[in-house]
Amino acid sequence: MEILTSIIGKVVDYTIVPIGRQASYLIFYKRNFKMLADDVKDLQAARERVVHSVEEESGNGKEIEKDVKNWLEKVDELIETTNQLQQDPRRADVRCSSWRFPNLILRHQLSRKAKKIANNVVQVQGKGTFDRVGYLPTIDGVASSFSTRDSEIYETRESLKEDIVKALSNPNSRNIGIYGLGGVGKTNLVEKVKIIAEQLKLFDKVVKAEVTENPDFKRIQGEIADSLGLRFDEETIFGRANRLRERIKMEKSILVILDNIWSMLDLKKVGIPIGNEHNGCKLLMTSRSQDVLVQMDVPKDLTFKLGLMTENETWNLFQLKAGDVVKDSNLKDVPIQVAQKCEGFPLRVVTVASAMKNKRDVQSWKYGLQRLQSNAGVEMDAKTYSALELSYNFLESDEMRDLFLLSALPIYDVEYCLKLAMGLDILNHIITMDDARNRLHTKIKSLEAAGLLEVKTSGYIQMHDFVRDFANSVARRDKHVFLRKQPNEDWPSKDFLKRCTQIVLDSVHIHRLPQTYEKPYNARFNFHEFVFITHFASVPNTP
């Protein structure tokens, strides 16, 4: 009896059940198509919700997760397949009517297809919930505006670059340093080393930050965090340092590049693992002083000195930046003399060559040569100053010169520069903020082309120390600007303050002006930390 029951059960499973299912396609034809229409309507609503999230994340500069993209593609395919089925002209042949008998085979096929697509729609819709739609991509460092074409090879630097890469590849090395005079090209060299390290996959991650003479720890932390896709919730430097340190330790191998270190830097305060905290973390540092690198625990045999360019290297770089104008026979050998006055400093070569670009009259070149030979009354290296002054004088307009001087102040990013430029009436004939923003970005690009600054992907304005010092010197001399960086710094004399048109307080908290100060009508006051500009008439009087 049990055997008979088992046989009958299998007969039912293999005959009666399939027959009933096939018959249901004929009987429930309309219901299957209605179910498909309802399911697709729900799927379209889910798709619209995900698309809104995608647009929002994209608008915030985020990359969209691959599974989200794949889901949207699958949804579009299903919706397209459904539309084709709904609009299939053969559906007219399966309906019952008084004058014709429906095509049962076709009715069965279409109903079965509608049921199958509806099942797929339900399954796909169930996968439309995502923990995360977008993510912040890591930000690669931007090459310096002083860099040269990759095809240009400078022999004295190629061997040094190879030695540095070899040191990075050594599993026993931890801290490595590059030192040399300001303007000699350390930043450019370290950028090239960074690219090579990434191409050779020497590390899982390579990150870079600029330190500067007065380290801004939050900015340094931010530059490293941007490259790691890290966003801080902490407000304090200490809290951010702890978070950054833990994030760095998550990488199996990582190279941290710290550019332009002036004095001993507290790595713990930044958030960089030290000692045996993370054996997979290496440091590559640049400084003007070998002693500073040694203080940063760089072994002397791993400190590499970057010297000046040779005469041939100088001329190659000068031609690259000045263009074909140097080949003009009317100029004779004056361009060569101008290049020689740069004496192998890449900074001088780039600024001078960029200033002389497209100058085809010999008078301009002779004037440039004369300015490079003039070194009177200058505190910084006279020839570097003369090179920068030549580039400054050859800027196309007063507006460009004013924007250059403004960019040298501690404003740090383009958007803040825009606010100050508008407040100081530097941008001429502007009607809307959009016009102002476009004008500013155009002028900033021209200043980059002149080798005077660079703007990183984050919008941060970066200047070489010499360029910034030169700009501040000109601002004091020609614009009577007073820049106060420290709260205990002495105020200038009453006579100097009378001549001031602007006073800039860089991260200095002050509640009142000095008692000896008399407010000139045309002066402006810039509170750096509060992004606040006003006429002195609105600043409270001192008691």
Side-chain angles (χ1 to χ4, degrees):
M1 187 67 179
E2 291 181 0
I3 296 175
L4 181 61
T5 302
S6 176
I7 293 174
I8 294 174
K10 290 186 179 295
V11 169
V12 171
D13 290 339
Y14 287 104
T15 58
I16 305 301
V17 172
I19 291 173
R21 183 167 60 248
Q22 301 303 321
S24 70
Y25 294 135
L26 294 172
I27 299 169
F28 300 117
Y29 170 83
K30 289 185 178 180
R31 189 177 74 175
N32 287 342
F33 268 92
K34 185 178 185 307
M35 183 183 301
L36 174 60
D38 291 342
D39 290 341
V40 168
K41 187 176 180 181
D42 292 340
L43 181 62
Q44 288 174 324
R47 178 189 181 279
E48 186 175 354
R49 184 177 63 254
V50 173
V51 167
H52 289 162
S53 297
V54 167
E55 291 174 346
E56 182 179 356
E57 296 289 68
S58 298
N60 290 326
K62 294 185 178 181
E63 295 285 349
I64 304 305
E65 297 286 358
K66 190 172 183 179
D67 60 339
V68 177
K69 294 180 180 178
N70 292 340
W71 184 83
L72 288 173
E73 289 177 2
K74 184 64 177 177
V75 168
D76 290 340
E77 290 175 5
L78 278 175
I79 292 175
E80 177 62 23
T81 301
T82 300
N83 290 337
Q84 291 177 358
L85 181 62
Q86 295 280 16
Q87 297 168 11
D88 193 325
R90 296 178 301 168
R91 290 188 63 192
D93 297 331
V94 303
R95 298 187 181 94
C96 296
S97 66
S98 59
W99 57 273
R100 65 180 298 182
F101 190 77
N103 185 333
L104 295 181
I105 294 177
L106 183 57
R107 182 184 180 95
H108 173 273
Q109 291 175 344
L110 295 177
S111 180
R112 182 180 180 183
K113 190 172 183 180
K115 179 71 173 178
K116 183 178 180 181
I117 295 174
N119 290 337
N120 289 339
V121 167
V122 172
Q123 289 179 2
V124 170
Q125 184 178 345
K127 297 178 180 179
T129 302
F130 306 98
D131 294 333
R132 186 175 69 175
V133 173
Y135 64 94
L136 284 167
T138 57
I139 299 175
D140 294 330
V142 180
S144 169
S145 59
F146 305 140
S147 62
T148 62
R149 292 176 185 166
D150 293 338
S151 60
E152 291 292 326
I153 298 177
Y154 302 105
E155 295 178 1
T156 57
R157 286 147 194 263
E158 284 302 301
S159 59
L160 182 62
K161 185 168 61 178
E162 291 173 4
D163 290 342
I164 295 169
V165 173
K166 184 178 179 180
L168 291 174
S169 305
N170 188 337
N172 297 320
S173 67
R174 289 294 297 272
N175 296 343
I176 299 162
I178 303 170
Y179 69 98
L181 297 172
V184 82
K186 297 184 294 295
T187 297
N188 184 26
L189 176 61
V190 84
E191 285 285 359
K192 291 182 178 180
V193 170
K194 177 179 182 290
I195 293 172
I196 292 173
E198 290 171 334
Q199 291 174 340
L200 297 179
K201 300 187 183 302
L202 299 180
F203 304 90
D204 295 331
K205 280 285 185 182
V206 180
V207 299
K208 178 176 175 289
E210 187 186 21
V211 178
T212 72
E213 183 178 5
N214 299 302
D216 180 341
F217 284 90
K218 281 195 173 183
R219 180 186 55 75
I220 296 170
Q221 292 167 337
E223 288 188 25
I224 297 174
D226 282 348
S227 297
L228 294 172
L230 172 66
R231 291 293 175 267
F232 293 110
D233 294 325
E234 297 79 8
E235 289 296 329
T236 66
I237 292 175
F238 177 77
R240 290 158 62 99
N242 287 337
R243 177 62 60 89
L244 181 59
R245 186 179 301 105
E246 293 305 313
R247 175 63 184 87
I248 289 176
K249 288 163 69 173
M250 291 172 63
E251 299 293 337
K252 183 177 180 181
S253 64
I254 183 171
L255 174 63
V256 179
I257 300 174
L258 297 174
D259 188 28
N260 196 16
I261 300 177
W262 284 67
S263 58
M264 181 74 175
L265 180 69
D266 188 346
L267 296 179
K268 187 175 181 180
K269 189 174 180 181
V270 175
I272 297 173
I274 57 178
N276 295 322
E277 277 190 280
H278 183 24
N279 293 325
C281 178
K282 289 191 179 185
L283 290 179
L284 176 60
M285 296 169 276
T286 73
S287 177
R288 298 184 182 186
S289 168
Q290 185 186 34
D291 291 340
V292 170
L293 295 176
V294 172
Q295 291 174 10
M296 296 295 297
D297 292 329
V298 181
K300 270 200 172 183
D301 61 337
L302 290 180
T303 60
F304 299 90
K305 182 178 180 179
L306 181 61
L308 301 174
M309 293 190 299
T310 65
E311 190 171 322
N312 286 336
E313 292 169 346
T314 299
W315 179 237
N316 287 338
L317 179 57
F318 192 91
Q319 290 183 93
L320 179 64
K321 292 298 180 181
D324 293 338
V325 67
V326 299
K327 299 176 183 179
D328 193 323
S329 59
N330 294 326
L331 302 180
K332 300 181 180 180
D333 64 343
V334 180
I336 295 177
Q337 295 179 49
V338 171
Q340 289 173 342
K341 288 298 178 184
C342 297
E343 297 185 340
F345 279 89
L347 174 62
R348 294 180 194 166
V349 175
V350 170
T351 54
V352 172
S354 298
M356 303 310 299
K357 190 173 185 177
N358 301 323
K359 298 283 190 302
R360 296 194 175 274
D361 58 297
V362 70
Q363 290 79 13
S364 293
W365 283 88
K366 287 183 176 180
Y367 170 76
L369 182 60
Q370 184 271 328
R371 293 304 303 162
L372 291 174
Q373 293 170 336
S374 173
N375 55 14
V378 181
E379 293 181 4
M380 74 165 68
D381 170 61
K383 293 177 181 177
T384 299
Y385 189 99
S386 298
L388 292 169
E389 187 167 43
L390 178 67
S391 186
Y392 172 75
N393 290 337
F394 275 160
L395 290 176
E396 64 186 36
S397 63
D398 288 338
E399 183 181 62
M400 282 276 289
R401 283 183 278 274
D402 287 344
L403 284 174
F404 166 65
L405 298 180
L406 180 64
S407 299
L409 295 177
I411 60 177
Y412 300 122
D413 66 75
V414 174
E415 281 301 308
Y416 189 22
C417 183
L418 174 64
K419 296 173 183 177
L420 294 185
M422 291 292 288
L424 297 173
D425 296 326
I426 291 176
L427 300 175
N428 300 316
H429 310 297
I430 292 300
I431 298 176
T432 66
M433 282 299 295
D434 193 47
D435 291 339
R437 185 171 282 105
N438 293 336
R439 171 79 68 83
L440 178 66
H441 279 270
T442 300
K443 299 301 181 184
I444 289 291
K445 286 291 182 185
S446 296
L447 291 172
E448 283 190 281
L452 294 173
L453 54 78
E454 71 164 310
V455 179
K456 293 192 173 183
T457 307
S458 60
Y460 171 69
I461 297 175
Q462 181 170 301
M463 272 189 182
H464 194 283
D465 298 318
F466 281 163
V467 179
R468 192 178 299 277
D469 289 345
F470 163 77
N472 289 334
S473 173
V474 172
R476 286 193 299 269
R477 183 192 69 193
D478 297 346
K479 304 292 183 179
H480 305 296
V481 175
F482 172 59
L483 173 61
R484 191 170 189 253
K485 293 185 176 182
Q486 302 296 333
N488 58 352
E489 185 177 348
D490 291 336
W491 286 85
S493 66
K494 183 177 180 180
D495 290 338
F496 182 87
L497 286 173
K498 283 183 177 179
R499 296 194 303 272
C500 279
T501 57
Q502 298 172 37
I503 293 178
V504 181
L505 303 181
D506 179 19
S507 302
V508 176
H509 297 280
I510 183 172
H511 300 290
R512 62 182 62 182
L513 299 176
Q515 295 183 1
T516 58
Y517 181 70
E518 295 180 8
K519 296 169 292 187
Y521 174 74
N522 63 339
R524 295 179 176 89
F525 202 68
N526 169 20
F527 284 98
H528 166 58
E529 281 200 341
F530 304 103
V531 195
F532 176 65
I533 303 173
T534 183
H535 289 282
F536 269 125
S538 63
V539 178
N541 287 319
T542 55

